[in-house]
């Protein structure tokens, strides 16, 4: 007799979807970005959903994971994670890298468990401490459109250009109008620091009292970071990854007047000890996609609480399965001190989940109450975006290479200033 909680198969589907020309310290987002959608099918036909960042390496690892999880019990997530980890170990020495794979599969397991039990994933994480989760508007310098290229016409969007303080304030107003966000993060590291300081000051004037953050993704030296921190004293709730590495961040933190946050220098369990010992960071941006999944993220929150680190949440270009997972875990973490990052407004037009559940009201997403993640797969959208993946030929993210198509002398330099 078949056992309903046994995993029958893991279906791994790479997809591509539209992305605006968002600028960062590495270059510019390409017209298409990649994710991988997981359908974990149980013997009884229950399907658990997962979503992972894309790219060939991640796809191959998830396909390898699919081979080892078949036949395992969906409630045995520790064993599922260990089996995947062991399968990847010979070819993927980095535990952080292996974590991307185990995390995506854990979310699919939890979604399936919730569906079997008729309970939301947040219940499986210990229950909610908030009914809705606050997110920040994620502001980017951006071009008005993807320029015409290789016979392809230019691709515009309804956000417009943002290349100076006025453009950033206008984008923030649109974000607030459309989604009600009450805090703002600016992706920096694009223009000389004084221009980005001016943009933050313009936001502070336009949105008095609303929390602001700036994240140049290590585009600055220690000296430049100290200068920016001084200039933005009293203006930022935290400054994110101004410079590279735990030592560099510790040097900046010594006299920065605001907390420093990271999703770059503390990305694995072994980074916590040196970062805490050196007081390199005061805010950790967690991300269940690489911290081992939703349960490990909950555990990470407890570690942060023990050591007095504040907690925020990182995001990359993502769709609704990830947003649902982020919302469930954020709802279950008592010490979530800051609104979470999300790229969702930039990509939601191409979602793979049916509309109606994940909506931003006053900058918050209500925690889904349906079984599992509470979202339903849009099979038509999945097929369409998988075909787009196959036809596009895009197989990895290359912000720098894409920038060079328009500025051949563009150099990736970190720190740049
Ligand atoms: O907080 C962050 O560092 C990010 O969101 C990383 C992303 O890759 C962001 O820089 C982007 O999408 O360009
Ligand atoms: Mg960051």
């Amino acid at each position: 007799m078949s056992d309903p909680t046994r995993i029958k198969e893991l279906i791994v589907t790479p997809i591509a979807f539209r992305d605006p020309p968002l600028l960062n310290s590495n270059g510019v987002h390409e017209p298409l970005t990649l994710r991988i959608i997981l359908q974990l099918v149980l013997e009884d036909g229950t399907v658990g959903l997962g979503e992972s960042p894309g790219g060939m390496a991640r796809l191959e690892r998830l396909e390898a994971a699919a081979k080892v999880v078949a036949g395992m019990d969906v409630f045995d997530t520790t064993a599922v994670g260990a089996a995947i980890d062991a399968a990847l170990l010979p070819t993927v020495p980095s535990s952080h890298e292996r974590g991307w794979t185990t995390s995506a599969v854990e979310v699919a397991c939890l979604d399936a468990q919730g569906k079997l039990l008729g309970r939301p994933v947040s219940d499986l994480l210990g229950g909610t401490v908030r009914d809705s989760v606050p997110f920040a508007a994620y502001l980017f310098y951006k071009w008005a459109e993807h320029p015409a290229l290789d016979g392809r016409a230019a691709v515009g969007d309804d956000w417009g250009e943002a290349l100076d303080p006025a453009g950033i304030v206008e984008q923030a107003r649109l974000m607030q109008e459309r989604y009600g966000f009450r805090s703002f993060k600016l992706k920096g590291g694009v223009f000389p620091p004084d221009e980005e300081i001016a943009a933050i000051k313009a936001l502070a004037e336009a949105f008095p009292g609303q929390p602001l953050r700036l994240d140049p993704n290590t585009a600055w030296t220690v000296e430049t970071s100290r200068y920016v921190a001084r200039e933005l004293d009293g203006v930022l709730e935290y400054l994110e990854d101004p410079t590279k590495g735990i030592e560099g961040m510790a040097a900046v933190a010594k006299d920065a007047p605001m907390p420093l946050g990271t999703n770059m220098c503390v990305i694995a369990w072994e980074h916590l000890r040196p970062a805490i010992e050196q007081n390199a960071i005061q805010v950790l941006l967690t991300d269940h996609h690489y911290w081992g999944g939703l349960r490990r993220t909950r555990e990470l929150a407890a570690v942060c609480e023990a050591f007095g680190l504040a907690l925020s949440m990182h995001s990359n270009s993502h769709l609704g399965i990830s947003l649902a997972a982020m919302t469930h875990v954020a709802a279950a973490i008592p010490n979530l001190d800051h609104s979470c990052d999300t790229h969702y407004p930039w990509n939601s037009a191409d979602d793979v989940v049916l509309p109606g559940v994940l909506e931003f009201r006053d900058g918050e997403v209500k925690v889904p109450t349906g079984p599992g993640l509470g979202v339903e797969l849009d099979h038509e959208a999945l097929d369409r975006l998988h075909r787009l993946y196959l036809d596009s030929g895009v197989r990895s993210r290359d912000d720098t290479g894409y920038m060079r198509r328009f500025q051949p002398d563009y150099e990736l330099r970190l720190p740049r200033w």
Side-chain angles (χ1 to χ4, degrees):
M1 210 180 72
S2 80
D3 179 343
T5 69
R6 294 246 162 261
I7 299 169
K8 188 170 160 215
E9 60 173 331
L10 178 65
I11 304 171
V12 180
T13 311
I15 60 168
F17 52 95
R18 289 169 293 168
D19 206 17
L22 308 177
L23 298 157
N24 59 29
S25 65
N26 282 242
V28 57
H29 287 209
E30 295 171 83
L32 290 176
T33 187
L34 305 176
R35 294 293 270 189
I36 301 164
I37 303 302
L38 301 184
Q39 296 173 77
L40 185 93
V41 186
L42 305 186
E43 292 284 355
D44 77 341
T46 302
V47 179
L49 301 175
E51 178 181 333
S52 154
M56 281 314 285
R58 300 223 162 94
L59 181 61
E60 282 162 14
R61 289 169 201 165
L62 282 163
E63 283 166 347
K67 293 200 178 94
V68 299
V69 301
M72 297 189 78
D73 190 317
V74 72
F75 282 92
D76 210 354
T77 48
T78 305
V80 167
I84 296 171
D85 203 59
L88 297 182
L89 185 61
T91 49
V92 188
S94 150
S95 66
H96 169 72
E97 277 301 322
R98 296 196 301 280
W100 290 91
T101 311
T102 51
S103 303
V105 177
E106 187 235 25
V107 172
C109 287
L110 290 175
D111 186 33
Q113 289 177 21
K115 285 172 173 159
L116 285 172
L117 297 169
R119 305 296 292 250
V121 162
S122 53
D123 278 3
L124 306 177
L125 302 174
T128 58
V129 291
R130 52 184 71 80
D131 295 337
S132 64
V133 170
F135 286 86
Y138 202 149
L139 311 176
F140 280 85
Y141 289 105
K142 72 179 283 294
W143 297 334
E145 57 185 24
H146 284 287
L149 186 68
D150 297 338
R152 182 206 70 204
V155 187
D157 55 60
D158 63 355
W159 293 99
E161 180 178 273
L163 296 171
D164 56 18
I168 289 296
V169 168
E170 179 51 24
Q171 188 185 96
R173 280 196 211 288
L174 279 178
M175 282 276 182
Q176 193 159 69
E177 200 176 289
R178 294 175 185 176
Y179 301 97
F181 292 119
R182 285 165 289 157
S183 55
F184 302 90
K185 160 168 170 166
L186 175 61
K187 175 60 38 170
V190 176
F191 293 114
D194 281 324
E195 292 181 38
E196 299 188 351
I197 291 168
I200 290 289
K201 288 187 173 166
L203 285 169
E205 206 178 308
F207 303 94
Q210 305 203 9
L212 302 174
R213 328 160 180 170
L214 173 60
D215 175 10
N217 285 119
T218 73
W220 306 331
T221 62
V222 167
E223 265 326 296
T224 304
S225 304
R226 285 184 173 142
Y227 165 73
V228 176
R230 278 194 306 274
E231 289 295 309
L232 292 176
D233 185 5
V235 186
L236 291 181
E237 60 171 338
Y238 59 83
L239 176 59
E240 190 175 321
D241 286 312
T243 203
K244 194 171 161 230
I246 290 173
E247 282 73 24
M249 291 284 279
V252 178
K254 273 204 178 86
D255 54 18
M258 71 284 287
L260 299 188
T262 189
N263 63 271
M264 296 181 76
C265 71
V266 181
I267 55 171
W269 297 87
E270 62 266 28
H271 300 152
L272 281 164
R273 184 178 175 153
I276 291 167
E277 279 175 356
Q278 294 176 51
N279 192 27
I281 60 158
Q282 294 72 44
V283 182
L284 181 65
L285 281 83
T286 181
D287 185 329
H288 76 266
H289 298 90
Y290 56 77
W291 278 96
L294 303 183
R295 289 205 172 115
R296 290 294 265 168
T297 300
R298 182 83 179 63
E299 289 163 7
L300 178 64
V303 173
C304 288
E305 190 180 6
F307 289 98
L309 289 181
L311 209 72
S312 186
M313 193 182 282
H314 166 254
S315 120
N316 255 316
S317 307
H318 67 92
L319 295 175
I321 298 170
S322 280
L323 181 62
M326 290 156 74
T327 304
H328 280 282
V329 73
I333 293 176
N335 54 317
L336 181 78
D337 305 279
H338 299 277
S339 53
C340 303
D341 287 0
T342 179
H343 283 60
Y344 192 65
W346 298 111
N347 304 112
S348 58
D350 280 341
D351 208 351
V352 287
V353 302
L354 293 170
V357 178
L358 301 169
E359 278 167 10
F360 290 89
R361 294 245 185 286
D362 297 329
E364 303 201 347
V365 175
K366 260 195 164 342
V367 186
T369 51
L373 292 171
V375 293
E376 229 183 290
L377 191 60
D378 178 342
H379 288 275
E380 187 280 322
L382 182 68
D383 289 350
R384 181 168 44 81
L385 299 178
H386 179 54
R387 272 199 311 278
L388 187 57
Y389 169 84
L390 294 175
D391 296 345
S392 69
V394 179
R395 294 296 178 264
S396 62
R397 175 177 174 171
D398 185 8
D399 296 8
T400 308
Y402 183 54
M403 179 62 106
R404 285 197 186 122
R405 303 297 306 273
F406 310 104
Q407 292 179 26
D409 61 349
Y410 180 83
E411 248 184 88
L412 175 59
R413 250 185 309 119
L414 294 171
R416 190 180 294 278
W417 291 283

